[in-house]
Amino acid sequence: QGIDLGYEGEDQLPARGNALLLREALNNLIDNAVRYAGAHATITLRARREAGRPVLEVEDNGPGIDAAQRQQVFERFVRASHTSGGVGLGLAIVREIAQRHGGDAHLLPAQPHGVLARLQLGTTA
């Protein structure tokens, strides 16, 4: 699809938690970006510490999601209106995993367009 996938951040970002669940959350965010950003998109993964807490981000320059839908898509079986495929569970799973790790997940607008998916954890090593 000609997608440019990049990484910015720390080489290691220690965090306490279930590695399998955290991997699943990150895989869901990356899969969404690849699936919905479109051909020739740019997707950037970031890992850093913010206020002492681990933060993982997946940003794309695709069409984005309307502000009114950014919270709704974290509910089970809800998908953004412009998407097709999937059953609407991926982001619900991401948020549940984040909350099990004392954090949360959010979608923010990327500039000039796209989505910034942020997974912040509440636990550190």
Side-chain angles (χ1 to χ4, degrees), residues 20-75:
L20 182 63
L21 290 178
L22 293 172
R23 187 176 303 120
E24 178 70 19
L26 191 55
N27 283 341
N28 282 348
L29 295 177
I30 294 168
D31 182 64
N32 279 354
V34 169
R35 184 181 309 235
Y36 300 119
H40 308 291
T42 298
I43 299 171
T44 304
L45 284 64
R46 292 187 190 90
R48 68 176 191 284
R49 200 163 289 288
E50 186 175 282
R53 299 170 64 179
V55 176
L56 304 171
E57 294 178 338
V58 178
E59 182 176 10
D60 68 65
N61 66 346
I65 297 176
D66 291 337
Q69 293 183 322
R70 282 190 212 121
Q71 286 301 323
Q72 294 172 341
V73 294
F74 283 102
E75 297 175 23

Side-chain angles (χ1 to χ4, degrees), residues 76-110:
R76 292 178 184 268
F77 306 112
V78 174
R79 294 179 299 139
S81 60
H82 68 280
T83 62
S84 61
V87 294
L89 288 174
L91 290 175
I93 291 169
V94 168
R95 177 164 274 168
E96 183 175 325
I97 290 169
Q99 290 173 343
R100 285 186 179 199
H101 288 82
D104 206 352
H106 301 280
L107 295 183
L108 305 166

